[in-house]
Amino acid sequence: MIEVIEVKEQYETALELTQIEVVEVGIDRETVLTLPEVELVEQGILLVQPEGGAAEATLRQSFGYGMPSPVLLYTATAPKLLAALELDLRIPFNGSGAQLSVGQPGQPQRFMTPAENDPAFAAQYEVFPNLELAPGEAVYLFITPGAGATQGAGVVRLTLISL
């Protein structure tokens, strides 16, 4: 059995390769990815299957004020539980009326409403939707940069559990 102590993921832009780094004493990334309980599901998602438990994956995606909205964060290929969602605003949005929400087309606030974060302040906002995603269901970030925006960036982190 392997215990993953820390997983670090970095996204520079959507066009660059994702770097996934698994940190544990005496084991490197290549060794971890060859083990049967670890699977690289898709770019940026490392799945670790614990003994006798549900598999958990964390997805991390960078975003900026100028990105076309909505931004696709994840599409379920099997039933998943969206257990937690963290919005880490690193550079505040300076546009008047800026808003961020996480949801789906037709339900842009399903997982996080604009009232649950404030893009004008650099801070971390976390919600626990605990909602099931069926295969094919997607999660999107909806960005309204606000009038006159010239800055704003952050990272979204989704915690998904296999059902």
Side-chain angles (χ1 to χ4, degrees), residues 54-101:
E56 183 176 303
T58 300
L59 169 75
R60 189 172 148 162
Q61 175 68 50
S62 297
F63 65 91
Y65 77 98
M67 294 178 75
S69 180
V71 177
L72 177 62
L73 300 173
Y74 174 75
T75 302
T77 56
K80 301 279 186 205
L81 177 72
L82 178 55
L85 186 157
E86 181 183 324
L87 188 63
D88 182 2
L89 287 164
R90 297 181 178 177
I91 300 172
F93 282 63
N94 63 352
S96 175
Q99 288 189 342
L100 299 170
S101 67

Side-chain angles (χ1 to χ4, degrees), residues 31-43:
T31 303
V32 168
L33 291 175
T34 63
L35 298 171
E37 63 268 19
V38 176
E39 177 185 355
L40 185 60
V41 178
E42 63 182 69
Q43 184 176 11

Side-chain angles (χ1 to χ4, degrees), residues 52-161:
E56 183 176 303
T58 300
L59 169 75
R60 189 172 148 162
Q61 175 68 50
S62 297
F63 65 91
Y65 77 98
M67 294 178 75
S69 180
V71 177
L72 177 62
L73 300 173
Y74 174 75
T75 302
T77 56
K80 301 279 186 205
L81 177 72
L82 178 55
L85 186 157
E86 181 183 324
L87 188 63
D88 182 2
L89 287 164
R90 297 181 178 177
I91 300 172
F93 282 63
N94 63 352
S96 175
Q99 288 189 342
L100 299 170
S101 67
V102 180
Q104 299 169 316
Q107 299 178 326
Q109 302 178 17
R110 182 175 181 201
F111 307 117
M112 177 182 266
T113 69
E116 293 172 310
N117 66 78
D118 188 347
F121 295 96
Q124 291 181 332
Y125 303 93
E126 192 170 20
V127 294
F128 302 93
N130 288 319
L131 293 172
E132 292 183 22
L133 299 172
E137 275 193 277
V139 178
Y140 291 87
L141 172 64
F142 293 84
I143 302 170
T144 303
T150 60
Q151 72 175 27
V155 176
V156 177
R157 181 180 300 134
L158 305 176
T159 301
L160 302 156
I161 299 173

Side-chain angles (χ1 to χ4, degrees), residues 19-40:
Q19 298 173 1
I20 298 176
E21 180 182 339
V22 178
V23 180
E24 182 176 351
V25 177
I27 194 161
D28 60 26
R29 177 182 179 273
E30 288 73 29
T31 303
V32 168
L33 291 175
T34 63
L35 298 171
E37 63 268 19
V38 176
E39 177 185 355
L40 185 60

